[in-house]
Amino acid sequence: MRHAILIPLLLVAAQVAAQGPLRRPVTLSVGGTWSQPQGEFDQVYGKAILGMGGQLSIPMGMLPFESGVAFDWGQLGGEREVVAVDQQYLDVSEGTMSTNSNFYGFHLMGRFKPVNGKVSPYLDGLAGVRSFSARTKLRVDEVDGPLSNERNAHDATWSYGWAAGVMVRLGGPLYLEGRFEKLFGGEVDYVDPETIAIDQDGNVTYDTRRSGTDMITVQVGIGFRF
């Protein structure tokens, strides 16, 4: 899924760049994220979340305004165990089963970026959706990819907020970027990773929690201008 976040950004950026030079450049950003739940989400879940984020921003001619999209992914936690495998066409008798709880976000973005220079600050407005899901995958040595891939739970909610960041040019089209984001989200059901249990036969049990999904996020990564 992390690669699925980056591929659409690269494809859209390449398509826009192929249409001809723009007076202000298209910006593609990717980086690692650290998110801290806020309010009710912090009370119920209460731990920092690591993940990845990406933004694609397209200028509106010569104006200091841009529009685009933002994606993000975060891992709430999970469990991994060695389990028994009974498949007639396999020589192995054990495999590794993992259950992971994650969130995925997709937001439309409006950006105010008054300066395009060596140091370029910006302010974003964001609105979209965020989904929470858990999946269980079984892997064995004789099979490329997971032997099974099952979604255990899924829920989604609206999300909106703002972000502020700064891009510092390293050389050519490459920039170092820091970004702070604050998002407000509705209530959602999600798998509590602390309650995930996998027995030796591969049976998975877990509890769910329900809360709002407000959070702040810090992203540090690189940006490219086209």
Side-chain angles (χ1 to χ4, degrees):
M1 184 62 189
R2 283 167 286 185
H3 294 92
I5 292 175
L6 303 180
I7 291 174
L9 297 176
L10 291 170
L11 291 175
V12 175
Q15 182 178 4
V16 173
Q19 294 175 355
L22 296 172
R23 301 293 293 275
R24 291 167 61 94
V26 173
T27 303
L28 173 64
S29 305
V30 293
T33 59
W34 176 91
S35 299
Q36 177 62 48
Q38 300 288 290
E40 185 185 20
F41 194 20
D42 186 38
Q43 296 173 8
V44 176
Y45 179 71
K47 294 189 300 182
I49 304 168
L50 299 180
M52 292 182 63
Q55 299 82 37
L56 175 66
S57 187
I58 302 173
M60 299 179 180
M62 288 293 293
L63 298 175
F65 300 102
E66 303 178 359
S67 62
V69 292
F71 296 89
D72 66 320
W73 161 84
Q75 185 174 48
L76 302 179
E79 185 69 21
R80 181 188 301 266
E81 294 289 346
V82 176
V83 300
V85 175
D86 184 14
Q87 297 286 345
Q88 295 181 352
Y89 61 91
L90 295 177
D91 295 331
V92 298
S93 58
E94 290 183 337
T96 301
M97 179 169 283
S98 59
T99 300
N100 293 293
S101 180
N102 305 282
F103 72 74
Y104 306 90
F106 172 80
H107 296 84
L108 298 178
M109 182 177 74
R111 173 170 291 182
F112 173 64
K113 186 166 65 175
V115 178
N116 272 302
K118 185 173 182 179
V119 179
S120 302
Y122 63 81
L123 181 66
D124 292 346
L126 300 159
V129 296
R130 177 163 279 162
S131 68
F132 289 72
S133 64
R135 281 191 174 274
T136 296
K137 297 180 181 181
L138 174 62
R139 291 182 171 86
V140 296
D141 291 339
E142 291 188 0
V143 179
D144 293 331
L147 183 63
S148 64
N149 186 347
E150 177 184 357
R151 187 166 70 179
N152 304 102
H154 177 262
D155 201 1
T157 185
W158 49 266
S159 180
Y160 69 94
W162 59 271
V166 61
M167 304 180 73
V168 179
R169 187 167 60 198
L170 298 176
L174 183 63
Y175 283 73
L176 178 67
E177 182 174 6
R179 173 183 175 89
F180 175 85
E181 186 174 276
K182 184 174 179 62
L183 288 176
F184 305 91
E187 289 193 344
V188 72
D189 293 312
Y190 51 90
V191 170
D192 182 357
E194 297 292 335
T195 66
I196 298 173
I198 305 172
D199 64 23
Q200 293 184 346
D201 295 324
N203 299 309
V204 180
T205 59
Y206 54 85
D207 295 333
T208 60
R209 299 286 183 264
R210 183 173 182 82
S211 71
T213 52
D214 296 356
M215 68 177 71
I216 59 173
T217 298
V218 175
Q219 177 179 319
V220 177
I222 56 175
F224 303 90
R225 290 185 175 177
F226 299 87

